Amino acid sequence: MLAYAGGALVEAVPSRRAAYVTMDESRPLQRLDFDGVPVRRLGDGAGWARVRDLGIAALAAEQVGGAQRCLDMAVEHAKRRHQFGRPIGAFQAIKHKLADLLLLVESARSAASAAAEDEVAAAVAGAYCTEAYLVVAGENIQVHGGIGITWEHPAHRYFKRATSDAQLFGPPQAHRARLATHILGTA
């Protein structure tokens, strides 16, 4: 198993595992302890940052897919659900909301497609894609109304995934802090 220890990428077998109770039950997580186990250092120490950034790039791609699915569900519901004799998608407020969500999804797609290029692109994708997925998943629930938060509808699962994804490689603020450090360090 690969792990991050003291600024280096290492290989070690955990001495203990404990399951975490998570909001997103579709992605089980475990706490791994490495008490008194042999450790083998991998690489020159620079590898961890690249592994982290590739993980962020993969997560960003997943977030874009989740956000796209939420947008698709919201659009479909806006076409089918009728109020006052017409589809709710015909109302200006819903049209604007869906247009804003489309902009978020497409911008996140652009950020995710460049995420594997370097640490700056990974940090941008880590911050932007995470926030975009959270917003789109939340607005999907809003478009669906009361049914969106029931166990019978899948919208809440996407919101739970977006919320757990926001912590997986650090919250958006941590990615923005990395960007600031990079910018200030090269200025």
Side-chain angles (χ1 to χ4, degrees):
M1 166 159 301
L2 298 178
Y4 176 71
L9 190 59
V10 298
E11 181 179 29
V13 176
S15 59
R16 187 172 40 254
R17 297 171 186 250
Y20 275 127
V21 176
T22 62
M23 178 184 280
D24 177 12
E25 294 175 358
S26 67
R27 179 180 282 153
L29 297 177
Q30 293 183 337
R31 174 190 165 95
L32 304 176
D33 292 321
F34 297 92
D35 298 328
V37 299
V39 174
R40 185 171 68 99
R41 185 181 181 107
L42 301 173
D44 60 2
W48 168 247
R50 185 67 182 143
V51 168
R52 177 203 58 213
D53 290 344
L54 290 174
I56 291 168
L59 181 64
E62 178 188 295
Q63 291 169 324
V64 169
Q68 180 67 60
R69 179 65 184 122
C70 289
L71 176 59
D72 293 344
M73 288 179 5
V75 167
E76 185 59 35
H77 183 75
K79 290 177 182 177
R80 275 194 337 264
R81 177 79 169 116
H82 283 71
Q83 284 293 320
F84 308 109
R86 41 189 247 195
I88 64 170
F91 296 106
Q92 191 172 18
I94 299 295
K95 285 180 187 178
H96 287 194
K97 183 183 298 278
L98 294 174
D100 290 344
L101 298 182
L102 176 62
L103 179 62
L104 282 173
V105 171
E106 292 303 318
S107 298
R109 190 180 319 280
S110 294
S113 69
E117 291 176 8
D118 59 31
E119 67 180 311
V120 171
V124 168
Y128 194 87
C129 295
T130 297
E131 288 182 338
Y133 190 17
L134 281 166
V135 169
V136 176
E139 292 297 330
N140 179 38
I141 291 171
Q142 293 298 314
V143 169
H144 278 84
I147 191 70
I149 58 169
T150 64
W151 289 109
E152 291 79 23
H153 198 278
H156 69 94
R157 291 189 191 111
Y158 288 93
F159 187 74
K160 288 176 180 177
R161 174 60 60 96
T163 302
S164 67
D165 282 358
Q167 301 304 314
L168 199 51
F169 287 100
Q173 300 85 340
H175 297 293
R176 284 194 291 273
R178 282 181 51 213
L179 281 172
T181 300
H182 181 79
I183 290 169
L184 295 174
T186 60

